[in-house]
Amino acid sequence: MCISPTFGQKKKKPFTGMLEYNIVMRDTALRKLVPANAMRLYTNDTLTRMENFSPQLGSQTTIRHMVLNKSYLLLTVQDTVNFAIKTDLNKADTGQVISKYTYEKKWFKKKHLGMRCNRMMVDHPDFEEPIEFLYLKKHSREYLNNFEGIPGLLVKYSVVTPDGVLNYELVQKRDYMPNRDLFGVPADYRKVTFDEFMDFMFPSSQSGPGQN
């Protein structure tokens, strides 16, 4: 069992419930090409369920064990075949990737949805200028599992993607204990490794030697 140092930090208040984020392109000129999106995250403080939808890939759900650092990505292929692609994130993160994000802590807090949030100015080569991130210092960053340089749960932030910079903004926070069934892999989903999933998507040629 591997527990990351950040997750083991003291004085972090456990969170159980649901977080909903709106996602829009930061470049307003691209918003007509890339429609607004939404992301929901459910957690019981040990497991998380993250739900995304995109026009290109449709619905995607990731179920992750925060302590074991293992996950399942739930996908439906060709509208008929359901896969649960399992990943050991401890092995997936073995390579050292140098982050291009830089951080500068700012004084004074700012309110968002009635909550007092800490502030951080974040820069990246693909940002036109530094962007203000807001986060809740009392909650762990591990629920979203992103931006190691932010010591708390992000409520407003931006992410560089191949399509452009996306703005994420928390629009709803509900404190309650989600149903445990949310964090299970449905019985009609086939559990596979990523390699097994790729073999299904791109089967090797069945033609023998000399056959066209």
Side-chain angles (χ1 to χ4, degrees):
M1 180 180 297
C2 177
I3 304 177
S4 70
T6 305
F7 184 72
Q9 285 181 350
K10 296 181 180 180
K11 299 182 180 179
K12 293 295 184 183
K13 183 178 179 181
F15 171 68
T16 62
M18 186 274 289
L19 304 168
E20 181 176 347
Y21 294 81
N22 274 352
I23 308 170
V24 298
M25 295 296 299
R26 185 168 185 83
D27 186 342
T28 55
L30 294 176
R31 291 181 184 177
K32 291 183 179 180
L33 300 175
V34 183
N37 195 358
M39 178 180 79
R40 283 189 177 183
L41 182 134
Y42 301 85
T43 181
N44 61 7
D45 197 44
T46 300
L47 297 163
T48 65
R49 175 189 175 97
M50 184 178 290
E51 299 176 349
N52 287 278
F53 179 84
S54 68
Q56 296 86 0
L57 299 174
S59 178
Q60 297 180 74
T61 298
T62 302
I63 297 172
R64 180 172 62 93
H65 196 296
M66 294 171 61
V67 178
L68 298 181
N69 208 24
K70 296 182 178 181
S71 71
Y72 281 101
L73 173 62
L74 307 184
L75 289 176
T76 299
V77 178
Q78 299 168 359
D79 295 326
T80 56
V81 186
N82 298 323
F83 286 102
I85 305 171
K86 51 189 174 183
T87 302
D88 186 338
L89 299 172
N90 298 302
K91 296 179 180 177
D93 294 340
T94 52
Q96 289 291 332
V97 178
I98 300 176
S99 174
K100 295 182 179 180
Y101 293 93
T102 57
Y103 307 88
E104 180 185 355
K105 189 173 181 179
K106 304 298 290 184
W107 294 104
F108 307 111
K109 295 185 178 183
K110 181 178 289 187
K111 280 197 172 183
H112 184 81
L113 297 180
M115 300 178 293
R116 288 171 55 81
C117 303
N118 291 78
R119 302 161 57 222
M120 188 85 74
M121 296 304 295
V122 181
D123 203 359
H124 185 280
D126 290 342
F127 289 172
E128 292 185 358
E129 58 184 8
I131 298 174
E132 182 179 73
F133 285 24
L134 301 180
Y135 64 97
L136 298 173
K137 190 175 181 179
K138 65 179 180 180
H139 292 314
S140 172
R141 58 166 287 276
E142 286 294 324
Y143 300 109
L144 288 176
N145 194 33
N146 60 5
F147 290 101
E148 292 186 1
I150 303 293
L153 176 64
L154 282 161
V155 300
K156 194 172 183 181
Y157 61 102
S158 300
V159 178
V160 174
T161 76
D163 297 322
V165 179
L166 293 176
N167 286 346
Y168 287 70
E169 181 175 347
L170 184 70
V171 294
Q172 185 180 178
K173 179 177 182 286
R174 291 178 55 202
D175 295 79
Y176 72 107
M177 180 57 72
N179 189 308
R180 61 182 297 177
D181 292 342
L182 274 176
F183 307 105
V185 175
D188 59 341
Y189 277 72
R190 186 190 308 176
K191 294 182 180 179
V192 296
T193 64
F194 179 76
D195 289 340
E196 291 170 337
F197 174 73
M198 293 304 290
D199 287 342
F200 175 87
M201 295 296 295
F202 306 102
S204 59
S205 174
Q206 299 300 312
S207 300
Q211 292 180 302
N212 295 324

